[in-house]
């Protein structure tokens, strides 16, 4: 078990229990909105768990009992000065989603509360997501003059084109956990975190005792047809990176920040 250093107040931790359940926990004091350093550490930690022979299944969770993930770091977004910085910034969630895709292990995601933008992408890229009734979702990108380009493939793969376009277009509306479950984002929704955790624990222990080779082959089946994401997601990150430099987007971000 270790905490990564120098993550601007955020952190990522990996613990592996004696039964082979690996738990990856990420967080940041600002509603678990994730700066680039935390996203890099998260992608790296998922890769680490994926390659660890003592880990048979990965449970992905975030700090606290409020928001699961408030998306990208707003302060970093405002500071982007050029195409390269834009690409770097928007590649953060891309790296995490690609690490989840590449992992030969099932990733079970615990969504305890609201999730926005890149956070919806993380939930969608999990192989199995469980949530509480407080876990509303929103793709707020268009509201600040960009779009959910990087998370789009993950959200659309999991929820379908109809749900993805609804979230992308209606960028200022929270869609509730019930709706997200109906669209296939969440496998189950619970009234409280305690019952969710009980179910996650039982499932994780069962998966940890399952055949790793069978699970690895199943994982490949689940994700067949996504090999091109390795180039698609960076291309998508570049679109957002260019858009964020426009006057329209700058003004929208400043208005949004002022709220």
């Amino acid at each position: 078990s270790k905490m990564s250093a120098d993550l601007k107040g955020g952190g990522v931790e990996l613990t592996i229990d004696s039964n082979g359940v690996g738990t990856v926990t990420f967080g940041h004091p600002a509603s678990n909105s994730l700066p680039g350093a935390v996203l890099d550490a998260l992608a790296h930690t998922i890769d680490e768990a994926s390659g660890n022979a003592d880990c048979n299944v990965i449970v992905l969770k975030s700090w606290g009992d409020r928001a699961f993930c408030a998306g990208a770091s707003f302060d970093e977004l405002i500071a982007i000065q050029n195409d390269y910085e834009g690409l770097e910034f928007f590649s953060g969630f891309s790296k995490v989603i690609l690490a989840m895709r590449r992992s030969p292990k099932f990733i079970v995601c615990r969504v305890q509360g609201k999730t926005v933008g890149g956070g919806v992408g993380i939930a969608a890229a999990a192989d199995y997501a469980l949530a509480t009734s407080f876990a509303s979702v929103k793709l707020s990108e268009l509201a600040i003059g960009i779009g959910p380009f990087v998370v789009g493939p993950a959200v659309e793969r999991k929820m379908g084109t109809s749900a993805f376009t609804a979230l992308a277009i209606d960028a200022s509306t929270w869609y509730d956990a019930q709706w997200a479950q109906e669209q296939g984002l969440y496998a189950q929704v619970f009234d409280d975190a305690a019952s969710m955790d009980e179910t996650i624990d039982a499932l994780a222990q069962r998966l940890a005792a399952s055949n790793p080779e069978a699970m690895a082959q199943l994982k490949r089946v689940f994700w067949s047809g996504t090999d091109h994401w390795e180039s698609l997601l960076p291309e998508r990150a570049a679109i957002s990176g260019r858009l964020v430099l426009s006057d329209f987007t700058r003004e929208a971000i400043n208005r949004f920040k002022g709220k």
Side-chain angles (χ1 to χ4, degrees):
S1 163
K2 60 162 184 27
M3 219 48 175
S4 302
D6 188 31
L7 296 181
K8 301 183 183 176
V12 181
E13 188 181 17
L14 169 63
T15 59
I16 302 172
D17 76 11
S18 56
N19 298 328
V21 176
T23 301
V24 174
T25 309
F26 65 86
H28 189 273
S31 301
N32 294 328
S33 64
L34 301 180
V38 180
L39 289 165
D40 281 350
L42 180 55
H44 176 79
T45 305
I46 291 167
D47 281 338
E48 190 186 328
S50 299
N52 190 316
D54 295 329
C55 173
N56 290 335
V57 61
I58 297 168
V59 175
L60 184 60
K61 58 194 285 196
S62 68
W63 292 356
D65 54 9
R66 306 286 295 185
F68 169 70
C69 176
S73 163
F74 227 75
D75 293 337
E76 287 190 358
L77 183 64
I78 289 170
I80 293 169
Q81 296 298 325
N82 54 54
D83 279 10
Y84 173 75
E85 288 177 6
L87 176 64
E88 279 291 288
F89 175 84
F90 288 102
S91 293
F93 277 97
S94 160
K95 289 174 193 164
V96 173
I97 291 168
L98 292 175
M100 294 173 77
R101 186 195 83 82
R102 279 194 306 268
S103 176
K105 323 252 160 110
F106 290 161
I107 298 177
V108 176
C109 187
R110 174 192 188 271
V111 187
Q112 77 275 29
K114 288 181 171 179
T115 189
V116 185
V120 180
I122 289 177
D127 299 297
Y128 199 85
L130 297 105
T132 69
S133 55
F134 305 103
S136 303
V137 295
K138 180 163 74 168
L139 291 181
S140 57
E141 286 87 345
L142 187 60
I144 52 168
I146 50 179
F149 296 106
V150 170
V151 301
V155 176
E156 186 169 4
R157 169 184 170 271
K158 180 66 70 148
M159 303 176 76
T161 303
S162 169
F164 168 55
T165 54
L167 285 168
I169 288 171
D170 193 2
S172 53
T173 297
W174 288 102
Y175 285 76
D176 68 20
Q178 187 64 44
W179 180 86
Q181 182 185 14
E182 286 163 7
Q183 311 306 320
L185 179 64
Y186 304 140
Q188 298 181 59
V189 172
F190 300 85
D191 289 334
D192 57 86
S195 46
M196 170 179 66
D197 287 334
E198 212 171 284
T199 302
I200 289 174
D201 193 49
L203 176 66
Q205 295 297 333
R206 202 158 67 240
L207 291 173
S210 298
N211 182 351
E213 185 56 30
M215 290 188 289
Q217 294 292 347
L218 257 180
K219 175 92 180 200
R220 290 180 66 180
V221 168
F222 294 158
W223 286 87
S224 65
T226 61
D227 289 354
H228 67 292
W229 285 22
E230 297 288 339
S231 57
L232 175 67
L233 266 54
E235 284 167 20
R236 291 289 187 84
I239 299 174
S240 289
R242 287 192 298 272
L243 281 170
V244 82
L245 299 172
S246 72
D247 290 343
F248 191 106
T249 302
R250 290 253 176 237
E251 285 166 24
I253 290 170
N254 287 322
R255 274 200 309 276
F256 199 85
K257 177 105 175 150
K259 280 183 184 173

